[in-house]
Amino acid sequence: MKNTLPFIENDPWLWPVASCIENRHLHYANTLEWIRSVHGSLYNFSSAHLYYGLHYDKKQKVWIFRDYLPNAKDVFLTGDFNGWDLSSHPLHRLQEKGKEGDWEIVLNLDEDILASNLQHGTRYKIYVHDALGNWKMRMPAYTFYAIQDPNTKDFSAVVWQPARKFAWGKDFVSMLEDTTRKQEFAKKFTPLIYEAHIGMAQETESVGSYREFAQNILPRIKDLGYNTVQLMGIAEHPYYGSFGYHVSNFYAPSSRFGTPDDLRFLIRKAHQMGLLVIMDLVHAHFVENTNEGLYALDGSPDLYNYPEPKGTHPYWGSKMFHFGRNQVRRFLLSNLRYWVEEFHLDGFRFDGVSAMIYFHRGYVDVFGTYENYFGNQVDEDALIYLSLANDLIHEITGSKHLSIAEEVSGMPGMTVPTFEGGTGFDYRLSMGIPDFWIRWIKERQDEDWVMRDLWEVMNHRMSNVPQITYCESHDQALVGDQTLAFRLMGSAMYTAMDIHSQNPIIDRGLALHKMIRLFTLSLGGGYGGYLNFMGNEFGHPEWIDFPRKDNQWSYKYARRQWSLLDNSQLKYQYLYAFDKAMIDFATKLNLKTLGFARERQIHEENKTIVFDLWNGLYVLVFNWHVNQSVPDYHIPVAKAGKYISVLNSDDKKFGGFGRVDNGGKYFTFSKEPNAPYLSIYNINRAVQVFQWIEE
């Protein structure tokens, strides 16, 4: 079989749909060629934020404001600068070719005395006479900073132009400017991601700030050994409880956490600590609110979104971007460039990719057929947008980048480079694994866990699809679900987490919490990386619930109780210590180049799974049995010689019982020629890691 695209040629499963993939790639290539022919480059195309919105031209001493409102009848700029006069500053419709639909106003400081009032901190909006004949106050599409009135709750755009421009200094970006260092970084870097939410990162029952996060949380992330911070809810959103997934202002860092420079301060500090910072990016949809967002900005019901019924997500109620429109592509691609260049972000985790690429928005019972992936329910324009987005991310960040797809369907080619016919993501999230763990714990007794099933689930993936694995993220911690820790230990966490307490529920929960994490990381993380949600590393109890009417607007569950971890009399410290040791182990493994584990032994009666990594350099023994430990247990290994115990979840410093010595030395013996074995004490509900050190 010989095809144009290596992506197809290397995968016989795709040969029957080769023409579909080639046509899809051709559509992408033609779109990119059109962009280059008209705009010169993809980078130039992605500069809408420099043209639209409010900008000050120092040379000409003028303010220029533009927005795209093709169906508006009249548009006015209003705000603090003119006493919120609704008619004193009209925009005019541009007539030049290529600018159809654009409205503009130029305010000359020498000619307009009110223009001098446009300065740092000035609030403003546009007053639109829309296509339906209504007059409405609206937020500009390109709002770079927005604040909410504490009394009316209305948002206004705000001029952010402080007297002193933020100084980045020598942050992580400048340290990696050398091409060789960038290439080395990309080759060796394994993303170990700490997913976090700024507002709920503090312990007080309030909304945390960017600077509090930088001061209090970044050191914890660094101490644990994670190398990447994934920030949620950064783009402005009117409803705090949406977790940031119903965005209103795509270019505005959320003001509820601080100013744009406060966010820059956080990112600079993270870079100085050697941490990458990526953004949980929402480019699938936008909030339906007309007071704050994009919807019907000029009065037309489908300016940025699809016409109905495709224009509204059936379950989220938000508006779905129309990816086939160049104005929408330009808006979103420019948004990527804006976040990277203005805030030095190192990449993005694209939220809701399945909702983007399917008109059924990912809500089907089964994926895996040609009809799913290449039928009329696939939004080809969304795939083209994502391909262009990955091209742009890689162009503007060089080798120091991360693009991750939250994609549940398994659409072929998501992590294949665009020049080979794929969509171009660096990684996809292994979304099935956390769902598996929750289902497994809910539906099965410990005694009924099947070892072969555990092994198969973790290894059911393709070697050419780099993925970020995880046992739980923010999704599993929300009201309506439970974290692994709370599901395992429940209300016993309220009464029996004291270090002197003896409680079998807590003992079981601590043991399985550690085993599940290392099992997932070591088996599912090959060719990729690992992710943890803030606080789950130490078994944060209870759930996440943002303030809302049903809970009397309480912040009780929209925070992280770090004092539980810092209290030396509580057992949370043990889970934290294990997570730190596990991340150190993951760093040594270099998950990105690790590959698949090799099965050495699966024993159902003893509930034991043994496998090795790096051609036998490390041997991992997981004993999931409820109560059966086996002395003098023989495990086959790849290399003869001496081994040392390097990690043991039963260690007392991890809240275990200390039944074996960490650091103990073990020597192989042979039952038959070229068949080395180790004899170990195979302790129940524990994982032991052995490292080969010499012949």
Side-chain angles (χ1 to χ4, degrees):
M1 178 69 180
K2 183 67 177 177
N3 289 288
T4 306
L5 301 170
F7 167 42
I8 307 170
E9 183 180 348
N10 297 331
D11 190 347
W13 186 87
L14 296 174
W15 292 353
V17 289
S19 61
C20 295
I21 297 174
E22 289 172 341
N23 288 337
R24 184 179 290 176
H25 180 69
L26 181 62
H27 191 182
Y28 148 77
N30 288 341
T31 303
L32 182 58
E33 180 57 33
W34 177 87
I35 289 172
R36 288 170 174 166
S37 66
V38 175
H39 296 272
S41 67
L42 183 60
Y43 183 77
N44 290 342
F45 181 68
S46 308
S47 61
H49 58 295
L50 302 177
Y51 173 79
Y52 292 110
L54 183 62
H55 300 279
Y56 181 64
D57 188 322
K58 288 184 179 179
K59 193 174 290 185
Q60 299 185 55
K61 293 172 56 172
V62 297
W63 286 94
I64 304 174
F65 175 82
R66 302 185 187 95
D67 214 329
Y68 177 69
L69 305 157
N71 299 297
K73 299 178 180 179
D74 301 282
V75 186
F76 295 85
L77 185 66
T78 184
D80 292 336
F81 73 99
N82 66 0
W84 293 95
D85 190 308
L86 300 181
S87 60
S88 64
H89 288 79
L91 279 69
H92 69 278
R93 187 191 294 269
L94 299 182
Q95 302 298 328
E96 298 98 312
K97 184 179 180 180
K99 297 182 179 179
E100 299 87 351
D102 292 350
W103 291 74
E104 178 185 84
I105 184 172
V106 179
L107 295 88
N108 192 311
L109 269 63
D110 295 330
E111 299 173 3
D112 187 340
I113 190 170
L114 295 178
S116 61
N117 294 329
L118 269 172
Q119 52 190 297
H120 179 65
T122 299
R123 296 177 301 156
Y124 65 95
K125 283 190 174 185
I126 51 176
Y127 188 48
V128 181
H129 185 199
D130 68 25
L132 300 177
N134 300 312
W135 288 90
K136 291 188 176 181
M137 296 281 278
R138 299 300 302 265
M139 294 282 283
Y142 293 80
T143 292
F144 304 110
Y145 184 40
I147 59 172
Q148 188 175 29
D149 186 293
N151 298 315
T152 67
K153 304 303 180 183
D154 285 340
F155 278 88
S156 296
V158 180
V159 176
W160 185 259
Q161 197 171 53
R164 296 182 62 183
K165 188 175 181 181
F166 184 83
W168 284 99
K170 193 174 181 62
D171 77 332
F172 198 57
V173 172
S174 59
M175 290 192 301
L176 280 170
E177 286 178 351
D178 178 76
T179 302
T180 303
R181 294 180 69 185
K182 280 185 179 181
Q183 292 172 346
E184 283 299 305
F185 175 87
K187 182 179 179 181
K188 296 180 179 179
F189 184 74
T190 292
L192 301 170
I193 302 171
Y194 195 89
E195 183 186 37
H197 184 277
I198 300 295
M200 60 175 289
Q202 81 306 320
E203 181 146 2
T204 58
E205 295 185 27
S206 61
V207 178
S209 71
Y210 296 122
R211 288 185 178 264
E212 287 173 329
F213 189 93
Q215 184 69 31
N216 302 323
I217 310 305
L218 286 181
R220 294 182 185 273
I221 299 171
K222 179 67 175 177
D223 177 66
L224 280 164
Y226 290 88
N227 55 31
T228 304
V229 186
Q230 178 180 306
L231 296 179
M232 305 175 62
I234 296 301
E236 191 61 86
H237 47 288
Y239 179 45
Y240 187 46
S242 75
F243 234 139
Y245 289 123
H246 283 218
V247 176
S248 53
N249 311 109
F250 284 78
Y251 287 81
S254 180
S255 60
R256 58 172 53 86
F257 310 135
T259 70
D261 282 356
D262 290 337
L263 175 58
R264 291 184 176 98
F265 174 85
L266 185 164
I267 295 170
R268 181 182 66 186
K269 183 161 186 174
H271 284 169
Q272 290 169 345
M273 298 171 72
L275 300 171
L276 295 184
V277 183
I278 65 175
M279 177 180 178
D280 196 341
L281 186 81
V282 183
H283 273 191
H285 57 126
F286 55 93
V287 71
E288 64 179 343
N289 303 26
T290 55
N291 287 335
E292 301 90 5
L294 293 169
Y295 180 54
L297 194 58
D298 66 351
S300 56
D302 57 352
L303 179 62
Y304 282 90
N305 52 281
Y306 283 105
E308 298 302 336
K310 293 178 181 178
T312 301
H313 194 287
Y315 298 100
W316 302 343
S318 48
K319 298 300 177 181
M320 305 303 298
F321 278 112
H322 192 321
F323 299 104
R325 291 182 178 155
N326 280 314
Q327 193 69 25
V328 173
R329 287 173 178 157
R330 195 173 182 212
F331 176 85
L332 294 174
L333 290 169
S334 299
N335 191 234
L336 295 171
R337 177 178 164 185
Y338 169 78
W339 286 112
V340 171
E341 294 188 340
E342 288 294 322
F343 293 90
H344 289 203
L345 284 171
D346 304 292
F348 303 92
R349 177 264 201 189
F350 282 71
D351 176 71
V353 170
S354 297
M356 298 172 75
I357 64 177
Y358 299 105
F359 290 119
H360 54 59
R361 308 308 175 196
Y363 286 85
V364 294
D365 293 333
V366 179
F367 283 107
T369 67
Y370 292 145
E371 185 178 353
N372 288 145
Y373 299 139
F374 305 102
N376 58 15
Q377 283 295 309
V378 177
D379 186 348
E380 302 285 343
D381 288 323
L383 287 168
I384 289 170
Y385 164 68
L386 290 170
S387 298
L388 296 172
N390 281 304
D391 285 346
L392 180 67
I393 293 168
H394 298 161
E395 177 183 340
I396 59 181
T397 61
S399 298
K400 186 187 69 65
H401 61 259
L402 287 174
S403 69
I404 303 168
E406 187 210 32
E407 206 289 294
V408 70
S409 77
M411 167 67 78
M414 293 303 291
T415 59
V416 173
T418 55
F419 62 85
E420 293 185 8
T423 311
F425 283 101
D426 299 313
Y427 303 92
R428 63 180 295 273
L429 290 178
S430 59
M431 298 180 68
I433 290 179
D435 291 342
F436 161 78
W437 282 121
I438 294 295
R439 186 174 64 254
W440 190 271
I441 294 170
K442 282 173 61 175
E443 298 175 359
R444 297 199 184 197
Q445 297 293 320
D446 295 3
E447 295 85 351
D448 298 329
W449 288 20
V450 179
M451 298 299 99
R452 178 57 63 182
D453 289 350
L454 280 175
W455 175 263
E456 294 296 339
V457 166
M458 291 299 137
N459 286 281
H460 185 65
R461 55 193 172 86
M462 299 177 69
S463 61
N464 60 350
V465 180
Q467 65 179 18
I468 306 297
T469 193
Y470 59 109
C471 337
E472 52 183 340
S473 67
H474 70 275
D475 286 327
Q476 287 72 41
L478 293 167
V479 167
D481 210 332
Q482 297 178 21
T483 62
L484 284 174
F486 204 58
R487 191 172 292 283
L488 288 167
M489 294 178 275
S491 61
M493 298 185 80
Y494 300 135
T495 58
M497 286 296 278
D498 183 278
I499 59 174
H500 301 296
S501 295
Q502 300 294 320
N503 186 294
I505 295 175
I506 296 298
D507 291 341
R508 168 186 178 265
L510 294 179
L512 292 181
H513 194 272
K514 293 177 286 186
M515 294 181 71
I516 287 170
R517 277 170 150 63
L518 186 53
F519 195 70
T520 300
L521 181 148
S522 55
L523 287 178
Y527 302 108
Y530 178 76
L531 176 143
N532 166 69
F533 178 66
M534 175 178 67
N536 286 354
E537 71 277 3
F538 68 86
H540 197 286
E542 299 175 330
W543 51 84
I544 296 168
D545 188 12
F546 285 93
R548 53 192 172 88
K549 185 177 180 180
D550 291 346
N551 64 17
Q552 291 75 54
W553 304 104
S554 170
Y555 286 86
K556 181 179 179 181
Y557 299 108
R559 61 194 181 110
R560 298 284 88 176
Q561 299 180 62
W562 303 105
S563 59
L564 297 175
L565 166 63
D566 297 335
N567 188 335
S568 62
Q569 296 303 301
L570 297 179
K571 294 181 179 180
Y572 296 99
Q573 61 185 301
Y574 299 143
L575 296 181
Y576 182 95
F578 181 79
D579 200 82
K580 183 176 179 179
M582 181 184 74
I583 294 301
D584 179 65
F585 179 58
T587 302
K588 293 173 182 174
L589 285 179
N590 190 358
L591 299 180
K592 186 171 184 177
T593 57
L594 177 62
F596 281 91
R598 180 168 52 180
E599 176 188 338
R600 304 301 303 184
Q601 182 187 90
I602 293 181
H603 198 290
E604 290 294 340
E605 183 179 347
N606 291 321
K607 299 294 183 188
T608 295
I609 299 174
V610 182
F611 59 88
D612 66 35
L613 303 170
W614 283 121
N615 296 318
L617 180 62
Y618 295 100
V619 180
L620 289 78
V621 182
F622 286 82
N623 181 341
W624 301 91
H625 206 284
V626 173
N627 53 28
Q628 184 169 300
S629 300
V630 186
D632 193 24
Y633 189 84
H634 296 175
I635 57 171
V637 293
K639 298 174 179 288
K642 183 167 67 174
Y643 289 75
I644 186 171
S645 171
V646 294
L647 184 59
N648 166 25
S649 67
D650 194 56
D651 195 310
K652 287 186 177 181
K653 66 183 178 183
F654 303 140
F657 296 99
R659 288 171 287 178
V660 295
D661 293 331
N662 196 38
K665 295 180 176 59
Y666 298 80
F667 296 87
T668 60
F669 64 95
S670 296
K671 291 184 176 181
E672 54 188 68
N674 300 316
Y677 281 77
L678 285 180
S679 176
I680 67 167
Y681 182 21
N682 185 17
I683 49 179
N684 73 300
R685 280 191 177 147
V687 50
Q688 299 182 67
V689 181
F690 303 93
Q691 180 181 351
W692 177 83
I693 55 176
E694 62 183 45
E695 292 283 358

